[in-house]
Amino acid sequence: RDRPEHARRPGVVMPLNKLTRAVALLVLASSSHAFVRPPRSTLPPSRVRCRSGAGSVRMAAMPDGVDKLKSRLGAALLASALTAMPIAAPLTAFPQPSHAAPAGGGKQNAPTSSGSRVNKDAESLLRNGLPISNKDVRKLQLQIEQSKQDIKVKRIGAATGEANEARKIASNSVSAILKSVRADEQEAGKQLLKDIDEQMGVAVVALGEQNGQGSVQERSALDRSFEAESNAATMLSRLEELMVPASFDVVIPEEYKDLPVLKGRAEIEFTMKKGPDDDDGKFNIEGTLYDRATVKMIIDGYNAPITGGNFVDLVDKGFYKNMRIQRSDGFVVQTGENDKGGYIPPGASKARTIPLEIMVQGDKVPMWGSTIEEDGRGSAATVLPFQSYGALGMARTEFEDDSASAQFFWLLFDSDLTPAGKNLLDGIYTCFGYTTDGADLLADVKEGDIIESARVVSGLGNLKRAE
């Protein structure tokens, strides 16, 4: 807050300092308090809110002693680093059942420093985000996902064992899995389990081929096994979606009743072309040239119903069509800024803004209007973590939680610069979906490139606009 006024004016963004960001990350990783904001009692009264269902306002505790020093130093470095991060880029002033733990008890979501895998798979993260709690289907998910990962690193024995275990679950736990599938989808669920078993069988056969190490034949077998398991994973996603109760709904607070809400999920497609100043008009991805960059994204209304509703509504209204990419710095690709400070609904005099929206693991509804630090839960894990290349986040002004309007960013996830569970975004900014196709193309999307088209592929019927 003590930075010079010019650093906070609209349109002013300081250059990204990678060294500053790296130092900030080191400091933050060494402290149990990633970033301490002022106690909630020092915030304006209108900014102090209870979590939905809570009986009183919880104050963010300040650490003592060494932790206090670490926290202050981390906060100072963080403020400097965030000056050029998406949430500080120019906006208006300037990025049912409770949710069960992820498959595998969260081990795949642990930071790399723990020795466990970081789950960077967008589709896996979306599966983990579904409001379901069937233990058997989560075991099936874990085996399929681990086998896919082991194929990538040529751990053939491990991959084969996991694939066989997946087949065993798919065939022996039919009743236990189907009990969670909606009544009108029982036959579909049964068929999906058969198809999953079949695809995993194809993978096992391919993995069992005796080919020379490093040979073309070995590569072909690995490719075929990975394709089969990818098919099984897609079928698994469909199966788990059939488990979401038809009656599932997130109760939206009365104060947000005028905002669009996404009840479920939607698929969005953006197609981008190079800007007029580009030399060859091509997207260059590791030597392969593309005329257009087309990316598909799943927007998650189960965990971010207001943010998801706002985004799908803007896409459907054509807000992003022909808009330029306004930021690309190797950390994020960002757009959505206009000269009006955001989206202004017909008849309104100011931009529509939405609240910060965070779904914490174990909660039944999102937390609105405050970060996890402000809520006194700085170590809590979010259901939608920023740990996949192309994760979608809402940009907002640095010190106003509820200032997001139309600016959003794709995070170019790097587990070294943005370690899962210890990054600068989880629980502080809203993640509302993931890029599931074409994410690699984001690497060459630059400032000045143009969004040629933006459309809702599916799920528009899940969008509920205020009457």
Side-chain angles (χ1 to χ4, degrees):
R1 295 180 186 273
D2 296 328
R3 287 184 294 144
E5 180 62 23
H6 74 270
R8 292 181 285 167
R9 289 203 307 269
V12 177
V13 184
M14 292 184 177
L16 181 67
N17 186 322
K18 291 186 178 178
L19 177 59
T20 299
R21 194 171 75 209
V23 173
L25 285 168
L26 288 172
V27 173
L28 295 173
S30 68
S31 173
S32 60
H33 294 266
F35 176 51
V36 178
R37 291 177 178 247
R40 298 187 69 167
S41 58
T42 67
L43 298 175
S46 62
R47 306 289 305 130
V48 179
R49 290 196 186 135
C50 294
R51 274 190 305 124
S52 180
S56 61
V57 175
R58 298 175 61 182
M59 307 294 290
M62 295 289 287
D64 296 321
V66 176
D67 282 344
K68 191 171 188 177
L69 177 60
K70 285 182 181 179
S71 193
R72 286 179 175 174
L73 178 57
L77 289 170
L78 178 61
S80 175
L82 291 187
T83 301
M85 285 179 62
I87 47 279
L91 263 177
T92 55
F94 136 17
Q96 126 85 335
S98 62
H99 286 71
K107 292 181 180 179
Q108 289 190 336
N109 289 326
T112 51
S113 60
S114 73
S116 299
R117 296 175 183 156
V118 174
N119 187 357
K120 307 175 187 178
D121 185 343
E123 293 186 357
S124 172
L125 295 170
L126 286 166
R127 285 191 284 270
N128 289 342
L130 288 170
I132 62 175
S133 56
N134 186 291
K135 293 181 179 180
D136 292 278
V137 83
R138 290 304 195 192
K139 291 177 182 177
L140 176 61
Q141 176 184 333
L142 179 63
Q143 297 302 321
I144 293 175
E145 292 175 357
Q146 286 188 335
S147 185
K148 282 183 64 183
Q149 289 296 323
D150 284 329
I151 291 173
K152 287 183 179 180
V153 295
K154 296 176 67 172
R155 296 182 67 229
I156 308 302
T160 302
E162 289 150 356
N164 279 320
E165 183 62 26
R167 295 195 69 188
K168 184 186 301 183
I169 297 171
S171 59
N172 295 345
S173 302
V174 175
S175 298
I177 291 174
L178 289 179
K179 71 179 182 181
S180 296
V181 173
R182 296 191 297 271
D184 60 336
E185 299 288 1
Q186 287 289 310
E187 288 303 316
K190 187 180 299 184
Q191 185 61 50
L192 283 168
L193 280 171
K194 290 181 180 179
D195 293 342
I196 289 170
D197 182 24
E198 180 181 334
Q199 288 298 311
M200 295 306 290
V202 171
V204 168
V205 171
L207 289 170
E209 293 182 9
Q210 300 299 314
N211 298 305
Q213 189 172 4
S215 66
V216 174
Q217 291 81 4
E218 182 192 51
R219 183 69 268 164
S220 173
L222 289 173
D223 287 345
R224 282 183 278 118
S225 61
F226 189 82
E227 180 182 7
E229 294 200 1
S230 295
N231 292 337
T234 299
M235 296 169 183
L236 177 67
S237 292
R238 295 174 189 163
L239 176 64
E240 292 187 357
E241 287 167 359
L242 299 182
M243 293 181 170
V244 179
S247 60
F248 178 84
D249 191 24
V250 176
V251 178
I252 305 299
E254 184 69 17
E255 61 188 300
Y256 306 131
K257 66 178 182 179
D258 294 330
L259 297 174
V261 173
L262 184 63
K263 294 182 176 294
R265 288 178 172 171
E267 184 178 21
I268 302 294
E269 180 185 86
F270 274 32
T271 297
M272 290 164 277
K273 64 181 180 180
K274 281 296 178 182
D277 298 331
D278 189 77
D279 294 334
D280 59 8
K282 304 284 187 181
F283 293 91
N284 187 337
I285 307 300
E286 298 182 348
T288 302
L289 302 181
Y290 300 86
D291 292 326
R292 297 289 187 273
T294 298
V295 296
K296 291 185 178 180
M297 303 156 278
I298 298 297
I299 311 304
D300 190 347
Y302 294 125
N303 299 291
I306 295 176
T307 310
N310 177 71
F311 186 73
V312 174
D313 181 55
L314 292 176
V315 171
D316 187 52
K317 284 180 164 64
F319 180 86
Y320 297 108
K321 186 177 181 180
N322 297 322
M323 185 170 282
R324 291 177 180 269
I325 298 299
Q326 294 141 5
R327 181 174 183 179
S328 178
D329 54 18
F331 185 64
V332 299
V333 172
Q334 181 172 320
T335 189
E337 179 189 10
N338 61 8
D339 57 3
K340 299 178 181 179
Y343 169 69
I344 300 179
S349 59
K350 61 180 182 179
R352 180 175 78 191
T353 58
I354 59 175
L356 176 64
E357 188 172 39
I358 308 293
M359 179 68 87
V360 176
Q361 285 186 18
D363 285 0
K364 294 184 178 181
V365 296
M367 178 173 62
W368 290 285
S370 67
T371 67
I372 57 174
E373 281 85 5
E374 292 167 345
D375 196 54
R377 300 191 291 172
S379 61
T382 59
V383 175
L384 299 180
F386 283 99
Q387 62 184 56
S388 176
Y389 199 89
L392 294 159
M394 285 302 294
R396 61 176 177 84
T397 54
E398 189 171 349
F399 298 111
E400 289 296 327
D401 293 343
D402 297 350
S403 56
S405 179
Q407 282 201 66
F408 76 97
F409 58 90
W410 288 277
L411 176 67
L412 306 184
F413 178 74
D414 184 314
S415 57
D416 293 324
L417 287 177
T418 317
K422 294 185 179 180
N423 63 49
L424 308 178
L425 301 175
D426 287 340
I428 301 176
Y429 298 93
T430 303
C431 179
F432 61 97
Y434 297 101
T435 302
T436 55
D437 188 38
D440 56 323
L441 297 171
L442 294 170
D444 196 40
V445 174
K446 306 299 183 185
E447 290 182 21
D449 291 348
I450 299 169
I451 300 172
E452 189 174 48
S453 68
R455 67 188 185 96
V456 182
V457 177
S458 62
L460 186 59
N462 294 332
L463 176 66
K464 307 302 177 184
R465 296 184 170 103
E467 298 181 359

